[in-house]
Amino acid sequence: MPSLAPTAPIELRHFIAGRWVEGTLSPLISDNPARPDDIVATGQQAGPAEVSLAMVAASAAARPWSRRSMHERGAVLLRTADLLAEQADRLGLELAREEGKTLSEATAEVLRAAQIFRYYGQAGDRSAGEVFSSPRRGERILVTRKPLGVIGIVTPFNFPIAIPAWKIAPALVYGNTVVWKPASTVPLLAVRLAEALEEAGLPEGVLNLLLGRGSLGTALVEHRGLSGLTFTGSTRVGRELAAAAASRGVPIQAEMGGKNASVVLADADLELAADQVLLGAFRSSGQKCTATSRLIVDERVADDFLGRLQDRLGQWIVGDPTVRGVQMGPLVSEPAAETVRRGIRAALADGATVLHEGQAPIDGAGSRCFIAPTILELSGARNAAAQNPAWCKELFGPVLTVRRASGSEDAFQLANDSAFGLAAAVFTQDVTRVLDALDEIDVGVLHVNSESAGADPHVPFGGAKNSGYGPMEQGGAAQDFYTHTMTVYLRGGTPA
Ligand code: UN1
C-alpha cells in the first residue's frame, strides 16, 4: 500500500488562558522523519512572554478549579477520554507522521491516552485519604489531600500523547492547574490533546500549552508561581531541572533514562522469549525509556536463542510507519539518528561485534532518520565489556547489546550492572529463579516472561537508581506527587 500524500502543514498555536495564540519567537517546524518533504505542522515558538502569561492564567484558575468536586473535574477527563477514543484513527495517523512510530503503535497510544483519562476520570470514586483513631476520646484523625497549585509539565517526544496523559490527567483531577511544554518535535499531538480537553469543557486557564525548545522548561522551573514540576526525558535535562527546582523548594518528579536488560535463562520458553525481546528492543525503533537495550542470555542456550531472534529480525519490515504492515519506522529526527550512529561506531571501536544488522528501507525515501535494527555482541574481557558504551550508555535507538552469562546468578549480576534501574525482563519457567529475580534485580518495573516495556495506568511506574527522581507516576502513586497531605484532628463538642 502506498504511503499517504503529504497534506498542507497544520498551523501550530499555543493555548493560554483558554485562547489559541501565536508565538513570538523563531519558527517551529514539525516534520515527518520518514519523509523530509512532508511538513506536518508549522508555527512560531513561545518565549518568556508566553511563559509569564501562561503562569498568570494557571495561577488565576487554580482556586476555582480546586473548589470543584473531584467528580466534576473527573467528568471533564471522562469526556476527554471519549473524544480521544473517537478520533483515535486520525490522531494515530498524525502521531505516526510526526513522531515516526508505526500506525498501529500510534493508534494504540491514542487509545492508551484515552484509557488513562478514563482511569483518572474516576478518581472521585476512590479513596481520598485515610482515617486514624485518636488517643483522645471524641476525636478522629483524618489524612486528607490538597492540590499543590500550578504544575509545570515537561514531556518527551517518544510517547507524544500517553506520557502527557499520565501527567496531565492526575494533575487536573487532584485539583491542580497546568502549564505544559511538550517536546518540540511533537507539537501537533500536544495541540490535539489540548483541543480535546478544551472541547470536553475544561475551564480557561486550567491547562496552558506552550510549544518550543528546551529553554521553555528552564523558564518554567524558574517561575515564582510554580508549585511542582513533572518531567520525563533525558537524564541530563532531568538532573538540571531537578537541581533548579530543589534550589527553589519546588517538588519535582523526574523520569529519566534506562538501560533495561532482558535476561533469558537456560530453561526459558525460547519462542516466547524471542518474540518478547524483539518487541521490547525494536518497537518504536527502541525509543522508549523502558526498551530492552541489553540482552543477557545463558551461554547454554545462547546460540539457539540468538538464532531465533535473528530469524525474526530478518523478517522485520522497516519503512514508512504510516504504511500498514511496516513494523519499524525511523527515529524521531536526524540528530537523534546521528547520535545512535555515533554510539554504534563508538561501541564497535571499543570491541563490540555486529551480530545482526537488519534491513533499513531500500531508499529511505531520502530520509537520514532510519537506522537498521542492530544486535551487537560483547564477548571479550569482562572489564572491557562493562565499559563499552553499548553496555552502559542509553543509545535510545534500535540497538540491542548481548552478553552471555554462566548461569542465573551471573545473569542477574549483569542485569544489575548499570547506573540505571528502570525496567527489566526475566524469561524462565522456574518459579525458584523467578523468586531469585525478585530478590536480586534492582529496578522499578520487573516483567516476568513479557517484554520490558509497557505500563498500566492503575499501578505505579518509575525507576530505581539513576532512572528516576522523586515519587513514582501513575496508579495511587500519582496522588502522592500531585497533592500534599493535610492531617486533620477532628473533634465535635464534649463527648457524651
Ligand atoms: C511504556 O513502556 O509503554 O519515556 C511506557 C518512556 C517511559 C514510558 C514507557 N517513561 O519511554
Side-chain angles (χ1 to χ4, degrees), residues 112 156 158-159 163 166 232 255 288-290 453-455 461:
R112 180 177 178 175
N158 62 336
F159 286 91
I163 290 179
W166 85 44
T232 297
E255 185 56 52
K288 298 183 189 181
C289 61
T290 46
F461 173 83

Side-chain angles (χ1 to χ4, degrees), residues 84-348:
L84 293 177
E86 278 161 26
Q87 306 173 72
D89 286 338
R90 181 173 71 89
L91 299 191
L93 178 58
E94 287 182 344
L95 199 165
R97 271 176 76 204
E98 183 170 64
E99 196 268 354
K101 67 178 66 174
T102 63
L103 200 51
S104 62
E105 284 179 272
T107 308
E109 188 186 327
V110 177
L111 292 171
R112 180 177 178 175
Q115 182 199 6
I116 292 165
F117 272 96
R118 211 163 282 133
Y119 170 75
Y120 286 106
Q122 287 160 353
D125 293 345
R126 300 190 196 108
S127 161
E130 290 176 295
V131 184
F132 288 81
S133 58
S134 165
R136 291 161 294 277
R137 184 168 147 71
E139 184 176 271
R140 293 288 184 283
I141 307 174
L142 317 183
V143 178
T144 60
R145 299 263 170 187
K146 292 173 89 73
L148 296 183
V150 179
I151 305 288
I153 296 186
V154 179
T155 53
F157 74 84
N158 62 336
F159 286 91
I161 194 161
I163 290 179
W166 85 44
K167 293 178 185 296
I168 290 169
L172 295 182
V173 85
Y174 295 125
N176 303 281
T177 57
V178 166
V179 178
W180 171 30
K181 185 224 133 9
S184 57
T185 38
V186 289
L188 179 57
L189 260 285
V191 166
R192 295 304 187 223
L193 179 52
E195 284 172 349
L197 281 156
E198 181 189 23
E199 196 182 333
L202 196 72
E204 65 178 51
V206 174
L207 174 102
N208 303 274
L209 168 66
L210 301 174
L211 306 172
R213 306 254 173 252
S215 53
L216 281 179
T218 313
L220 254 184
V221 72
E222 280 168 2
H223 199 283
R224 283 205 337 260
L226 199 72
S227 323
L229 184 76
T230 174
F231 167 83
T232 297
S234 74
T235 305
R236 184 186 60 78
V237 176
R239 290 266 172 85
E240 278 170 21
L241 291 177
S247 75
R248 302 202 29 253
V250 171
I252 176 159
Q253 168 187 70
E255 185 56 52
M256 300 179 282
K259 191 73 195 176
N260 312 296
S262 281
V263 174
V264 179
L265 296 183
D267 73 298
D269 175 339
L270 296 184
E271 280 292 285
L272 173 140
D275 285 340
Q276 293 293 309
V277 169
L278 184 81
L279 298 178
F282 299 111
R283 251 200 312 212
S284 289
S285 307
Q287 298 173 110
K288 298 183 189 181
C289 61
T290 46
T292 297
S293 54
R294 297 184 299 145
L295 171 64
I296 297 154
V297 52
D298 190 300
E299 59 196 4
R300 286 166 287 178
V301 292
D303 288 335
D304 183 359
F305 181 73
L306 292 169
R308 294 177 201 235
L309 196 57
Q310 288 179 65
D311 286 348
R312 283 163 172 76
L313 206 51
Q315 318 280 318
W316 199 247
I317 303 168
V318 182
D320 184 332
T322 62
V323 176
R324 279 195 197 279
V326 165
Q327 284 151 308
M328 196 181 103
L331 274 76
V332 69
S333 67
E334 205 170 314
E338 228 11 86
T339 304
V340 176
R341 274 191 275 271
R342 264 202 311 277
I344 294 175
R345 280 199 297 272
L348 296 177

